[in-house]
Amino acid sequence: MQGFLLGLSVPSRRNRFHGGINGAPPKLVAYLVNADGIRHAAWVACIWGAHGEEIIGEAGWFVVDPERGSAELALSVLDGWQGSGVASQLMTTLMDSARAAGLRHLYGDVLDVNGRMLAFMRKHGLEAGFDEPPDRGVERVSCELA
């Protein structure tokens, strides 16, 4: 995971984490990989590379309101793999898992300048309007899970 984070461009890191992160801080790496499958679930997309298996994308959800069955989602893909379908495969897995876990609602916060991700979210059934975004410059998108 550390190598994956270091492989993201500065704009991709900003889009994923909504701010500049330098490198791959140990607390961030631990958060991304220590999913319990109940309150926090996570997946990676991998390929075989020159040095063995390499992560090219990651996705996950984190339950924020257990009573409502609501979870926040996030995903990112290495720049060279964006547009290849990796994100769609991760999103399908993420949404199927959320349904199987009994979650009823997913949402994500997307920087409003990240038009490509906003279009991706709409393509996967997430629309604006669930709640007020946490900050200016952020669009909150969501969907109800059937």
Side-chain angles (χ1 to χ4, degrees):
M1 183 57 72
Q2 184 177 31
F4 170 78
L5 292 173
L6 293 171
L8 289 171
S9 68
V10 171
S12 288
R13 274 187 261 149
R14 183 176 188 285
N15 285 337
R16 169 61 171 87
F17 300 106
H18 296 196
I21 61 165
N22 291 326
K27 283 185 179 182
L28 176 58
V29 172
Y31 168 75
L32 292 172
V33 301
N34 291 326
D36 63 11
I38 299 168
R39 281 194 54 86
H40 179 202
W43 299 267
V44 293
C46 298
I47 60 162
W48 286 104
H51 305 289
E53 199 169 26
E54 298 175 8
I55 298 172
I56 59 170
E58 60 84 24
W61 50 256
F62 185 85
V63 176
V64 293
D65 185 345
E67 290 180 18
R68 187 168 182 223
S70 183
E72 182 176 13
L73 69 88
L75 66 92
S76 60
V77 174
L78 287 178
D79 295 64
W81 287 89
Q82 292 175 9
S84 70
V86 171
S88 287
Q89 290 177 332
L90 285 166
M91 186 65 129
T92 298
T93 300
L94 184 152
M95 293 178 84
D96 289 347
S97 167
R99 282 186 196 94
L103 294 173
R104 296 183 302 279
H105 178 259
L106 284 174
Y107 77 90
D109 291 335
V110 180
L111 294 177
D112 61 8
V113 296
N114 191 353
R116 189 171 181 185
M117 180 56 83
L118 288 168
F120 173 84
M121 291 292 184
R122 281 191 298 275
K123 176 182 168 187
H124 289 277
L126 285 88
E127 295 289 342
F130 158 67
D131 199 359
E132 288 295 314
D135 300 305
R136 289 188 72 209
V138 173
E139 183 78 33
R140 181 161 283 175
V141 294
S142 69
C143 69
E144 298 296 326
L145 299 171

